[in-house]
Amino acid sequence: MSTELDVFVGNTTVLDEDVYQLWLDGHTVSNAVRIRMEAGALQECEANAEVLHSDTMDQFRTFQMCERLLQSPSKVANQLLFQIPPHRQTMLIERYYEFDSVFAREVLGKKLSKGTKKDLDDISSKTGIALKCCRRQFDNFKHVFKVVEELKGPLVENIQRHFLLSDVLARDYAAIVFFANSRFETGKRKLQYLSFQDFAFCAGQLISYWTVGAVNNVMEDLDVDLEKEFLHDLKDLKVLVNDKDMLDQHKSLVCAQLRGKIKVFSEMEASFKNLSRALVNIASKLTHTKDFRDLFIDLVEKFIEPRRSDKWTIGDLRLFLKHYSSSVHTLEAFRHQVIWDRYMGVIKSCILKMYHD
Amino acid sequence: MPGKLKAKIVAGRHLPIMDRASDLTDAFVEVKFGNTTFKTDVYPKSLNPQWNSEWFKFEVDDEDLQDEPLQITVLDHDTYSANDAIGKVYIDIDPLLCSEAATVISGWLPIYDTIHGIRGEINVLVKVDLFNDLNRFRQSSCGVKFFCTTSIPRCYRAVMVHGFVEELVVNEDPEYQWIDRIRTPRASNEARQRLIFLMSGELQRKIGLKVLEMGGNAVVGYLQCFDLEGESGLVVRAIGTACTLEKISSTLPATATHPSNSSPSKDMKEPGFGEEAPGVPLSSGPPTPLRAQTFSSFSPSKSYSRQSSSSDTELSLTPKTVGIFLFPSTPTLESESSPLPSAHLPRHLWPGMASRSTTPPPLRLSKSDTAILRKSVSFSEELLLAASGMGSGGSAGKEAGPLKALLRQQTQSALEQRRVSSSSEAFVRTGEYPFFPLTAFPPGFLLHVGGVVSARSVKLLDRIHNPDEPETRDAWWEEIRQEIKSHAKALGCQAVVGYSESTSICEEVCILSASGTAAILSSRFMQDGPLDTEHRLSRQPLCVFSTGSERVEGDMGSSASLGFEEVVSPGCGFCHIPYDELNIPFPAQLTYCYCCRRYKVPDVLFTTIDLPTEANVTGKGCLIQARLCRTKKKAQGEGNATVISNLLPFLEYELHTQLMNKLKLRGMNALFGLRIQISIGETMLLGLASATGVYLTALPSPGGIQIAGKTPSDITYEQHISNMQKKINDTIAKNKELYEINPPEVVEEIIGSPIPEPRQRSRLFRSQSESSDEVSELDLSHGKKDAFVLEIDDTDAVEDIHALLTDFPTPAGFYSCNTEIMPGIQNWTSAIQMFTSVRVFRLNASLTSQGLNKIFSDLCENLLKSLYFKLRSMVPCCLCHLNFTVAIPEDELIQVAVTAVAMSFDKEQLLENGKQSGEKTLIKAITENDEQLQFNLELNAETPSPNPLSSPKGLSEVGSHLSARALSVDYSSFADRCSSWIEQLKLKAHTIRRGSVKTTSSMEKASPLPEGRSRSLRSNRSYSGSSVAVVKMTPLSFIPGAKIIKYLGIINMFFIRETTSLREEGGVSGFLHTFIAEVFAMVRAHVAALGGNAVVSYSMKECVFMENPNKNQAQCLINVSGDAVIFVRESELESTSVQTQSATTHTSNGAEGT
């Protein structure tokens, strides 16, 4: 005796958000049933295990049928097969494209290729996320990347338009696409302490201020690429450390502002030259692709780690960076104010974001 | 006469990739009607082609317009090889032929392929220019409106009800033609789909012709069915009620100011009435021919029918034993009731004229006759022969009004005339039936209800030799209908309402079944009374009967009653017995009506109709099912038919017993919407009876059930019995509480025969009786005794009681019924969810009947449980119109399909009985609910509430959890509603969703770092992307909280789906799931293309599923129907005001009600 066939079809597609999450997490049906039972689903409606199993099977099947549509979310709204109220359509899409930041952190900066896909089981066992779920997330990354790659115009908007995602989620995807495109080094041990959110923030800063789309709205290319001209101009900032007068002047300005305000004043005063050199050198190296990819590792190795060993507090660091960048404005000999601001604005917020344990 | 059909192909979208090389498609379209085909240009290399074709014009006869569908085929152009078909769209253009229905078909329709399912969509425009045809002899019936709805459609009023129309069309099944061996499955499926489309078109046209002949303009309660008889062919048959309907203009509900005397029908009918009158007195001297005839329609003995069966084979009328059953008030049943003398009938028909004193003592059949007839009643050969000789064409409609004809035929003179014209006798008699497939009536129309009448007949199928003259099939049904009619007569009723017909086929054996409710209708209404007078009356608190009906009342009561001028409470009138008290057609315990105390009522009432709106009901109702599974030996041909027909009576009897016991167990006294389905398989018979039990205030309170041991024995045994008794009593008490059955205490001081309480117990019958004879004896005696005891003498009986008690009560917050509405619930919200659920269960070989019963019963119970669980987010809600269909697709498989609608209702108002106007609370609740929700969510996240009602998570559940605040309306309706109001509330929805995510993450400890995805969802995007109109579907005739403003025409679709890659499509469940979803999608798309936003009276009439997992194949056929309508929300104004107050961003885009 066995149930050979068991289906339930509603005119309005019946979707259980909790079960959807279980499905998205890559659970098997029996696993999902167990989790639901533990969560107390049996108390509802005098259900029994059989009922729960049937319901879970049915829901999983529904989601599987929806999956084809979810892969091109714009179709969800004008398909005829499932009658789903708009707010639930949004929920379906949003949840489908949501990802685990732990997983995203692992994949970040890697090439979204078949090779990486083969390594997913490693990531799965490392993160404890079901392989099925990893695959979905990876495929989503790849899919979004592929679609957006060929589009012109602002990245976040493109993602939002094509995948109908929320602003927040679209920004995260933009970060992933940006990292996958620029191939930043993120896997080094020293960078392990940084979370996906840290990188996503930095990516957002880079996209907003350093890319082609950031300055002019001419939609000619994917704005994932950084503005070449800007990177080239960054070399001019070297004058800040190479010109002795300027360096001294800069130092005295900063010291005047910070005296008595930060605990690490003496260390700062002593190492101002090193501090400034580290930041300016990073800037001048960005034209080379190799060095560009090392942006984050450079920031950590050359700037963040030394400060951390000197026991700078985040407050001290913030004050320092603020005055360090703003006092340049009073340097009359320095003619690259615009470039400087554009550079330091991003670097400052990235460093502050990354400055934690 | 011709009409011009015009079609334009606009565009396609989401087409499948047909060219692997380019990942694109070169699509073009063929538009075919009849034998004419047009083609569009090829739109190269696109999955979203824009053909924007010219108007293709077809000049055709309107007969063809009715029969043929417009066939649109989308193909992929291929230069070198044959063009590949992408899929097809069949468009039924019938709705365009009626001036009051749709005017244009325009929209995106799914392109369907029988192998691949839906493959993209096509946008088409279809119009029809119809030239008026005044030809009297035309073969078309354009303009006749069809309604699946089994009541007078909401925006119409019935000027006249003409009566029963039926028709059937037969053809060879393409699947069984020789050519099927060489053609592809796709070609075969398409041939079948097309043929069925054609046949239903033809059938509809023929029915329409009959209606026109009768002077009507519409068919209400149109029920079309397919019989897939396999080798012997394909039968499409339909029944309905011909009516003359008049549209009520929505602005002026009081069109009734013209009492429609002006309608020509009156003049027509007036003489008819006069004509009848002289015939009536004849009934006082019972005419011998009439009596003789009634008797002759039964074969005198069982053996006779057996003998004759062999000679019948040429006629393919082999063992045609007809089990007949009346479901009156007591469990005894079929036997005595059947061969009732009809001599006293005319008196009921013309009560005002037949004075009681002149009526002779009603004829009684000798008991011996009864005894013979009871086992199996078959029809006389003469009747069959006569009927079969007549053929199917135009059986009705020879008379101007069939009812008039019916009445005439009841009278002696008319009958005499018919008898003279010998051969036509059977024809005329059988041609006209006072049957009404309607289940709901305007108040005042239904005077009295006698009880359920049903007839079944087992037939051997034979190839239909000449499809143009489907004589045998017609004759079979004639025979059954005749049977039904005589049963109704036996119950003293002139009409049968809630009438339906069905078949079950297994190999070459076929069971034909018909059932209905014997009733007396207001003759005045049918003669000349426009329905709207009744409508108007119903708006008044008390329904005042016109003099005509009072006379009936007066006569119906005891002979001494003279009080017919007094007003009868409308809430109990239909319960009063229509039959003669002294000549009860079956043993029943009559008491005086508990409402009016004047007329007699039975102790239990079974009907197939919906609960009349005016009925007085105590408490709530509930779904009651009797389920039965019986093994039988494998047999072939005639032997098989004999075995089945022998089993049938017992099956029905046991079903009835179960129903009765379950009814008593719930403390109720009446069943509505009774539907008994018997399904045959090779080794078993399945019986499923579903009905909605209620407590009618007019009927006496049901007694309890008492059990007793037969054998005097030791103490433990006694104890066992008393335990069981206690259980039963507890269940009854619990049920009474659950269904709020607390009838007003009645002082038993009435004259007459109020049965003393202790003796009023019903007996619990053993359902597993081995010996047939025993049973017959048993129930004969039963009615006479004051039986109340169930004797336990073997394990069977014990198990019966267990089975009785294993029905799970519905979970809190749920109600269920198989009728349109649930008594005691009025305040529906607009949240509705129609669904179809199908289960197939594989049985082990070698099971006993007992074991099978258990499995079958569990299957149904579990299915119900699953439904409750699935729909828990809608609580408090009621599952209405729960329609179960059972089938035995192959040996050892049981298939159960359910279609129903879940409707949530407002609990607050329910409790307070609407004492407060809901709107104010609503607004307040909305502004308050944010904090509440948060609060509740936190609670839930911490401690899973033990209360089954408070579901720990999920957005809609949260809403329902707060139902105490009367805002359950809003949130519990989330699942289904998509109104702009909801969009206004999205800020709140946002909160809830965030909340639900929170709780979710607490649940998933398994996955680490859930915060990564617990990012709150932003709902600040516009939903404008949705271009698909929402189409509601419901098996009911109405949409809660909305007003149907237009009927656009009937939807009647037939689809076949086949796969040769079953595993790849997710196995049988995946395959069927997709198919049902596709069928829904196609229905919705066609309704939307007609301009509608809902389907009412939707039903899935056929769902035939066949699989062959070894070959990785499966096939499924689905037939659905319903009425496409446009509705508007009644609360549109109210909700707009709520919106403006509750939401700051008021950007109503008119999405309400879409």
Coordinates of all heavy atoms in Angstrom, one line a residue, chain B residues 260 271 516 586 682:
Chain B
S260 N -44.6 41.5 -15.1 CA -44.3 40.6 -16.2 C -45.6 39.9 -16.7 O -45.5 38.9 -17.4 CB -43.2 39.6 -15.9 OG -43.8 38.4 -15.4
P271 N -54.4 29.1 -21.4 CA -55.3 28.1 -21.8 C -54.8 26.7 -21.4 O -55.6 25.8 -21.1 CB -55.2 28.2 -23.4 CG -54.0 29.1 -23.6 CD -53.8 29.9 -22.4
G516 N -31.7 12.4 -7.7 CA -32.3 13.7 -7.5 C -33.2 13.7 -6.3 O -33.2 12.7 -5.5
F586 N -42.6 4.6 2.6 CA -41.5 3.9 3.3 C -41.8 4.1 4.8 O -42.4 5.1 5.2 CB -40.2 4.4 2.9 CG -40.1 5.9 2.9 CD1 -39.9 6.6 4.0 CD2 -40.3 6.5 1.7 CE1 -39.8 7.9 4.0 CE2 -40.2 7.9 1.6 CZ -40.0 8.6 2.8
E682 N -12.1 -3.9 -11.8 CA -12.1 -5.3 -12.2 C -12.3 -6.2 -10.9 O -13.0 -7.2 -11.0 CB -10.8 -5.7 -12.9 CG -10.9 -5.6 -14.4 CD -9.7 -6.0 -15.1 OE1 -9.1 -6.9 -14.6 OE2 -9.4 -5.4 -16.1

